[in-house]
Each structure stands twice: as structure tokens, then as C-alpha cells.
């Protein structure tokens, strides 16, 4: 049985394109010498307003992704950022010389077309070309049209090609942009002020994570990339700004999987004169607003599962969630030793340094987290895992904190913020002890932050949202890399 003939060697195809460029330059038509375009309209505008533009002259520009026809007539599909439109080019209309150059255009070339809008006999809105110009020469071929760019690793590494070949990818990132814009609109309308805080910090606090460390040559000292936005934003609450938020990149020296990337987008906000109950109300309203504005509905479907943001979000304490799904009631456990004993009985792995609160959290992760599918606030965490949170006045050992869950994922983390500098110093001291015991994710004491608290911070509610996970849910994307334009990838040199 004979084999299919092989495609032309890729290097030969590239050489042909370089030869075409040389010929263009020799004829005084170097496309890379062109600095701008006369484009005056986008393809989507033409299609949505055909009656207005029919028979009118327009100028469009974009990338050629397909062509057909022969002899003295050519049809090309021109793509810009809003979509595609068919170009109809005839030898008689643009002239022998120009048509000769057009016939040598390659898939991937970026061109400008001037002509009038019309509809073909098949009913397709098109542009009848009167002038054509090559704006940029594509020197490497795009993937074959019907198979596209399917290699997942290559898609992430060459996102520019992925965006060209897979329209649904571009749609995802358009939605991501709209999601972030919608968040900003909502918070701005609520009287919040957007701010920017340092990324290079001496003390990377505000979360339990291992930081990246770098060296600042000018000062000859080590600095860290921030793991959180919290401590600087709280300083601004002390300064009287009262309602602040920041949307920005944070960096955590951790693993990569479908929900984690070492640099990711976090949104944190802080509001004076409220508590974690106020943050729950804000979260419900914000999620509903964004879904309705971006998707046109408060019902979203992720991986075939429908989640309803229109209904009141469930509220359950961590203790009650663990009791519901494991049968273990931590309100009946009096000591760290009892907690460790029940953990051994249930096969929950823990470390010697862990206390009752740590083990409660391990039980939640093992038994309850996966059941948090519909929008749910899991409230009242143990103090051991919440070093920056105000204590519950009516329940010793617990704090006013919640995590917001959807689809079994943590989507947000919020507190009634600890504003007692004496208590905060003791919490930092406990974190330093954990650090000394080998916990690389423990916080270190931040003296300037403590100084700010001593100046005085009002009662405050604060929350951190994972923007990437929010975008995953609202765009039905399987992995965090699908909503990051340029996800972290292992170097090909390794």
C-alpha cells in the first residue's frame, strides 16, 4: 500500500516566502516599510449595519486566513479583531499589476483593501476590491486550516498563533477583559478607589505561601515578590481612604496545575466600618452583577454543572460542614490530642505541629470541600489558620472569616480584619515559631504594618478574589492556563 505524498518541507515553504519578500523589495514594495493603514471600519460594523454601508466605499485591514478562486477572480477571507469578511477581487477592477501581486499573497499575510460593500448572489456580505495593499508579510506558515493548532503545550507557548487559529480562544480573553471591567464598574459605583501597591517587598505577608526572592543590586538587599495585596491596602485604610481595591499580579513559589499558576491575578478590597458579613453581601452582589452584565444571565454552566448565582448563597460554618460530610463534630473535641486521635482514626495525615484548628481544616479539605458546588460561604475558621483575622467574640478558638466556594473551588477569602496591634503581634510571633519549625509558608513579623495598626485602624472587612478562577467559571474553561494569555511554562532548554 503506497503512502500519502508528504507535504512540502517546512523550510522550503518558508524559503519561498522569503523569496517573495525579496521580490517585493526589489520592486519597491517592501511591506515592512509601510508605517500605517487607512482602515476606517471594522468587519463586524459592516455586517451589523449592511443597509447603511451597502454600495459605500470602505477601507478594511486584517489577516488573510483563506483564499479561493482562479484565473482573473479571487475570493479571500480577511480577519480583523471583530471577525471576518469576504473580499472579492477581479483582475479588471484592480489592474493587471496589482492583481499579479495579490495572486502571490500567502495565508497569514496582513493586508489593506479599499472597495465598496455589496452582497453576493449567495447572500454573503462582501467587499468588492478597488485597491489592495500588502501591509505585512507572513514569513512562516500558519497551521493547516482544518486541524488548527491542537497541541496544547504549543498553544500555550505560541498564544499568538492560538489566537489566530482558534476563535473561541479569543472569545475567552475578550470575556476575561469584560469581567475585569465589570468588577471595576461595580466597585467604583460603590465608592471604592482603585490603588496600586508595591510588588517588590521586604516582607511578603498577607497569605500562607512561599515567596519568590530576588536581589536588589542598588541597595544590596534581598527583596521578595508579593504573595498578597493585603498589608499595604490595610495601611491605606489606616490612612483614611476607607474603601480601596487593587487588581494585580501576585507571585507564589508553588506548583503548577489546572487551578494554579505561580503568577496569577488577585483582587483584594477593604472597606472600613463593616465586617465579614458585609463582605458576604458584597460578594453575592458583585458575582451577580458580573454574570448578568457579561453573560446576560445569573445561571452559569461549568463542565455541564449549572450553578445559580441568582439564588441566595448558602452560609455554613466550617464546623457544621465537617460534621455534615464526615460525621465528626469538632465542637465536641476538647483538645489537640483528641483531634489528632480522630484524624488517625479517619486516616487524615497531619504534622506534629498541627493543632485542633489545623486538623479541622484538614477534615474540611478531605470531606467537605468537594461538595461546595453551588455558591456557598464557609464561615468561622479556626484561629490557627487565620493569623490576620478578628476573633469571634462568642466562640473561643475561632475567627470571623469565610471562604467563598463554587464548583468545589475556593473562589474568595474574607475576614473581619484584625485591627488590634497587640493581638496581631502575638499572631505574628506564633507564625515566626511555625517558620522556625520549617513551615516555609508562615508569615513573618511586619513592624511597619504593626506601627500602622498602632496609629489606629477602624473596624474593617476585607476580601481577596481569585480573578483567574472566576474567569474559568464564567467562560467554562477547563484549566487556569486557558484564561491566562501567557501561562508559566517550563523552558524548552531544560
Amino acid at each position: 500500500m503506497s503512502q500519502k505524498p508528504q507535504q512540502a518541507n517546512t523550510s522550503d515553504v518558508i524559503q519561498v516566502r522569503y523569496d517573495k519578500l525579496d521580490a517585493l523589495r526589489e520592486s519597491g514594495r517592501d511591506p515592512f516599510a509601510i508605517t500605517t493603514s487607512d482602515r476606517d471600519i471594522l468587519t463586524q460594523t459592516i455586517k451589523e449595519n449592511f443597509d447603511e454601508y451597502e454600495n459605500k466605499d470602505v477601507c478594511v485591514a486584517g489577516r488573510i486566513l483563506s483564499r479561493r478562486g482562479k484565473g482573473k477572480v479571487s475570493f479571500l477571507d480577511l480577519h480583523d479583531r471583530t471577525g471576518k469578511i469576504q473580499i472579492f477581487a477581479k483582475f479588471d477592477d484592480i489592474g493587471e499589476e496589482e492583481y499579479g501581486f495579490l495572486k502571490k499573497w500567502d495565508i497569514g499575510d496582513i493586508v489593506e483593501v479599499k472597495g465598496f460593500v455589496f452582497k453576493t448572489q449567495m447572500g454573503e456580505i462582501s467587499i468588492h476590491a478597488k485597491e489592495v495593499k500588502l501591509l505585512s508579510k507572513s514569513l512562516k506558515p500558519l497551521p493547516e486550516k482544518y486541524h488548527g493548532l491542537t497541541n496544547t503545550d504549543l498553544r500555550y507557548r505560541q498564544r499568538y498563533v492560538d489566537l489566530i487559529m482558534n476563535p473561541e480562544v479569543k472569545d475567552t480573553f475578550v470575556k476575561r477583559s469584560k469581567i475585569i471591567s465589570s468588577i471595576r464598574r461595580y466597585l467604583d459605583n460603590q465608592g471604592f478607589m482603585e490603588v496600586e501597591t508595591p510588588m517588590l517587598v521586604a516582607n511578603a505577608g498577607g497569605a500562607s505561601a512561599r515567596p519568590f526572592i530576588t536581589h536588589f543590586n542598588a541597595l544590596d538587599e534581598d527583596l521578595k515578590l508579593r504573595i498578597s495585596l493585603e498589608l499595604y491596602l490595610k495601611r491605606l485604610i489606616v490612612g483614611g481612604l476607607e474603601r480601596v481595591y487593587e487588581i494585580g499580579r501576585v507571585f507564589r513559589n508553588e506548583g503548577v496545575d489546572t487551578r494554579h499558576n505561580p503568577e496569577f491575578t488577585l483582587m483584594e478590597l477593604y472597606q472600613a466600618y463593616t465586617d465579614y458579613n458585609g463582605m458576604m453581601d458584597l460578594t453575592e452582589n458583585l458575582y451577580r452583577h458580573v454574570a448578568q452584565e457579561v453573560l446576560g444571565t445569573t445561571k452559569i454552566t461549568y463542565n455541564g454543572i449549572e450553578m445559580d448565582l441568582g439564588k441566595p448563597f448558602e452560609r455554613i460554618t466550617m464546623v457544621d460542614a465537617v460534621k455534615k460530610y464526615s460525621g465528626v463534630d469538632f465542637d465536641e473535641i476538647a483538645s489537640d490530642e483528641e483531634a489528632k486521635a480522630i484524624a488517625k482514626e479517619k486516616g487524615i495525615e497531619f504534622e506534629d505541629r498541627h493543632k485542633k484548628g489545623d486538623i479541622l481544616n484538614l477534615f474540611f479539605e478531605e470531606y467537605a470541600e468537594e461538595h461546595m458546588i453551588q455558591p456557598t460561604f464557609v464561615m468561622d475558621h479556626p484561629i490557627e489558620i487565620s493569623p490576620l483575622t478578628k476573633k469571634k467574640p462568642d466562640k473561643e478558638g475561632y475567627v470571623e472569616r469565610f471562604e467563598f466556594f463554587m464548583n468545589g473551588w475556593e473562589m474568595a477569602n474574607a475576614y473581619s480584619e484584625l485591627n488590634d496591634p497587640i493581638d496581631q503581634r502575638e499572631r505574628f510571633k506564633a507564625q515566626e515559631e511555625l517558620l522556625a519549625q520549617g513551615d516555609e509558608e508562615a508569615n513573618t513579623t511586619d513592624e511597619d504594618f504593626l506601627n500602622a495598626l498602632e496609629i489606629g485602624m477602624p473596624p474593617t472587612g476585607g476580601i481577596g478574589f481569585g480573578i483567574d478562577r472566576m474567569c474559568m467559571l464564567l467562560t467554562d474553561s477547563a484549566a487556569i492556563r486557558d484564561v491566562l494569555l501567557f501561562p508559566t511554562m517550563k523552558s524548552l532548554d531544560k
Side-chain angles (χ1 to χ4, degrees):
M1 184 176 178
S2 61
Q3 292 183 328
K4 286 184 180 180
Q6 292 187 341
Q7 291 183 332
N9 185 286
T10 303
S11 61
D12 292 340
V13 173
I14 294 172
Q15 186 59 53
V16 168
R17 296 194 176 205
Y18 272 86
D19 291 344
K20 287 182 180 180
L21 177 61
D22 289 341
L24 286 166
R25 285 174 165 164
E26 288 171 9
S27 67
R29 291 171 171 267
D30 183 357
F32 298 119
I34 297 172
T35 58
T36 188
S37 167
D38 294 330
R39 181 170 79 174
D40 57 17
I41 196 166
L42 296 169
T43 60
Q44 184 176 346
T45 304
I46 295 172
K47 289 187 168 185
E48 289 179 349
N49 303 278
F50 173 72
D51 291 343
E52 178 184 346
Y53 289 102
E54 185 177 14
N55 295 321
K56 289 187 178 179
D57 287 343
V58 295
C59 179
V60 295
R63 191 182 297 273
I64 298 300
L65 289 187
S66 65
R67 61 182 305 158
R68 52 214 170 273
K70 58 183 178 179
K72 296 184 178 182
V73 177
S74 292
F75 293 90
L76 309 105
D77 285 336
L78 180 147
H79 292 240
D80 64 16
R81 72 172 186 267
T82 63
K84 71 173 182 176
I85 197 163
Q86 179 173 263
I87 305 299
F88 172 70
K90 280 182 70 176
F91 174 94
D92 296 339
D93 296 319
I94 64 174
E96 179 179 358
E97 184 179 25
E98 292 299 329
Y99 193 77
F101 281 110
L102 179 146
K103 291 285 285 184
K104 294 179 180 178
W105 286 355
D106 290 304
I107 301 299
D109 285 351
I110 297 170
V111 304
E112 176 188 275
V113 176
K114 294 179 179 178
F116 63 88
V117 177
F118 78 110
K119 191 176 286 187
T120 66
Q121 291 181 343
M122 301 295 291
E124 182 167 358
I125 296 172
S126 307
I127 296 173
H128 191 127
K130 296 196 294 188
E131 295 180 41
V132 297
K133 183 189 294 185
L134 180 63
L135 299 178
S136 182
K137 183 69 187 163
S138 175
L139 296 173
K140 284 191 174 181
L142 292 167
E144 195 272 322
K145 176 182 176 183
Y146 293 103
H147 295 96
L149 186 65
T150 55
N151 180 294
T152 303
D153 186 75
L154 191 59
R155 284 179 56 208
Y156 296 142
R157 292 184 187 279
Q158 296 185 13
R159 182 68 85 186
Y160 43 92
V161 181
D162 191 25
L163 289 165
I164 293 168
M165 299 305 300
N166 298 310
E168 69 280 2
V169 172
K170 183 177 72 174
D171 291 343
T172 293
F173 289 104
V174 168
K175 272 186 185 170
R176 180 188 171 105
S177 178
K178 290 179 178 178
I179 288 165
I180 294 173
S181 294
S182 183
I183 291 170
R184 284 192 165 104
R185 270 191 298 276
Y186 179 81
L187 293 177
D188 292 346
N189 289 334
Q190 296 295 314
F192 282 85
M193 173 182 174
E194 185 173 10
V195 298
E196 294 175 307
T197 61
M199 289 190 180
L200 285 172
V201 295
N203 188 326
S208 297
R210 181 165 48 178
F212 288 93
I213 301 174
T214 188
H215 188 75
F216 185 9
N217 292 334
L219 297 181
D220 191 26
E221 63 181 37
D222 287 342
L223 292 175
K224 301 178 180 70
L225 289 173
R226 66 185 182 186
I227 61 173
S228 171
L229 312 173
E230 181 166 348
L231 300 185
Y232 280 98
L233 291 178
K234 284 183 180 178
R235 286 167 166 90
L236 300 180
I237 295 293
V238 171
L241 296 187
E242 292 193 2
R243 295 189 180 200
V244 294
Y245 75 96
E246 180 172 8
I247 299 174
R249 284 294 176 101
V250 296
F251 309 86
R252 299 183 182 181
N253 199 349
E254 299 169 344
V256 175
D257 60 28
T258 57
R259 282 186 282 158
H260 295 87
N261 194 72
E263 56 173 312
F264 61 97
T265 303
L266 186 64
M267 192 270 283
E268 290 196 32
L269 65 86
Y270 292 85
Q271 178 180 340
Y273 308 109
T274 190
D275 62 3
Y276 76 148
N277 292 299
M279 292 297 100
M280 284 186 238
D281 294 339
L282 184 147
T283 302
E284 273 197 58
N285 293 331
L286 174 62
Y287 260 78
R288 286 193 191 113
H289 166 85
V290 172
Q292 187 65 52
E293 188 169 87
V294 176
L295 304 179
T297 178
T298 57
K299 290 184 178 179
I300 66 170
T301 301
Y302 184 83
N303 196 26
I305 299 171
E306 184 177 277
M307 288 163 270
D308 191 351
L309 294 164
K311 295 179 179 178
F313 295 4
E314 183 181 355
R315 302 186 183 198
I316 187 171
T317 67
M318 182 177 281
V319 168
D320 286 344
V322 168
K323 182 178 178 181
K324 180 177 180 179
Y325 294 106
S326 75
V328 178
D329 186 354
F330 271 75
D331 280 343
E332 300 297 321
I333 295 174
S335 66
D336 298 339
E337 289 70 28
E338 285 183 47
K340 289 179 179 179
I342 196 71
K344 287 179 181 178
E345 180 184 319
K346 295 288 187 177
I348 301 291
E349 293 185 7
F350 60 89
E351 299 177 27
D352 289 341
R353 62 181 176 81
H354 281 157
K355 297 181 179 179
K356 172 186 168 181
D358 299 298
I359 293 171
L360 168 62
N361 188 52
L362 293 174
F363 266 77
F364 175 79
E365 292 174 350
E366 178 67 25
Y367 287 101
E369 191 170 282
E370 64 181 354
H371 298 286
M372 306 291 124
I373 303 300
Q374 294 301 318
T376 303
F377 295 117
V378 177
M379 310 180 298
D380 301 349
H381 290 48
I383 195 170
E384 290 88 345
I385 61 168
S386 311
L388 298 164
T389 315
K390 186 168 285 193
K391 296 174 182 175
K392 282 187 70 64
D394 56 350
K395 190 168 185 178
E396 187 176 353
Y398 293 88
V399 296
E400 293 191 345
R401 173 185 173 187
F402 73 80
E403 290 172 292
F404 173 51
F405 283 86
M406 287 179 66
N407 193 51
W409 301 349
E410 179 201 336
M411 305 297 295
N413 185 25
Y415 314 149
S416 295
E417 301 297 335
L418 179 59
N419 61 344
D420 178 346
I422 299 169
D423 189 358
Q424 183 63 79
R425 184 174 290 280
E426 290 302 312
R427 307 275 192 98
F428 276 143
K429 183 178 178 181
Q431 288 287 300
E432 294 275 10
E433 291 172 359
L434 292 175
L435 192 66
Q437 294 171 23
D439 184 353
E440 295 180 326
E441 296 185 350
N443 285 207
T444 56
T445 302
D446 187 326
E447 289 293 345
D448 183 71
F449 176 64
L450 288 171
N451 184 66
L453 291 187
E454 288 171 341
I455 296 295
M457 186 174 87
T460 297
I463 189 166
F465 289 88
I467 297 295
D468 305 310
R469 290 187 188 178
M470 185 179 192
C471 291
M472 286 174 67
L473 278 184
L474 295 182
T475 62
D476 198 8
S477 297
I480 192 171
R481 289 180 174 184
D482 296 326
V483 297
L484 298 175
L485 280 167
F486 300 102
T488 302
M489 305 289 289
K490 186 174 182 179
S491 171
L492 292 173
D493 297 332
K494 298 294 184 181

